[in-house]
Amino acid sequence: MILKMLDDRVSIEALGLIPHFFERALYIEGQPIQSVADKMDDLYYYGGFVHPFEGTIESDGRYITNNDFGEDDPWDPIARIDKLGFTLWIYPYAIVGLTDSKGNQKIGRFD
């Protein structure tokens, strides 16, 4: 697992248990993205990807929200974690984006 902090104003401690959930959920190469998301949800227990957020994650990690108001600017990630062909992007407010090498995405909140 490779963790890279992308915002110098944020400490690794601010990520809480999110890296731990990702590390434990992804243990076999070739897992489908839904399997990783389900395992993260099981470990977190309070929702996560069960209550998905809308939008898309660009290749550089920017989260483009998809709401009816069009008010939100794109969000830049504060951290990136790579493991076994998956990337977990972490944004402010414990919003996370899970992407795989096939272009699949999941967005949720792990607060």
Side-chain angles (χ1 to χ4, degrees), residues 22 26 80-83 85-89 97-101:
F22 182 59
L26 185 53
R80 172 187 178 147
I81 307 172
D82 294 296
K83 182 180 176 186
F86 287 86
T87 300
L88 189 74
W89 301 95
L98 177 63
T99 60
D100 67 13
S101 58

Side-chain angles (χ1 to χ4, degrees), residues 36-60:
V36 178
D38 289 345
K39 182 65 175 174
M40 286 183 70
D41 288 339
D42 290 344
L43 293 165
Y44 176 57
Y45 189 71
Y46 295 104
F49 295 116
V50 172
H51 307 289
F53 281 41
E54 293 187 18
T56 58
I57 300 167
E58 296 180 334
S59 61
D60 63 356

Side-chain angles (χ1 to χ4, degrees), residues 70-87:
E71 297 173 350
D72 293 334
D73 291 330
W75 292 32
D76 291 319
I78 58 174
R80 172 187 178 147
I81 307 172
D82 294 296
K83 182 180 176 186
L84 298 175
F86 287 86
T87 300

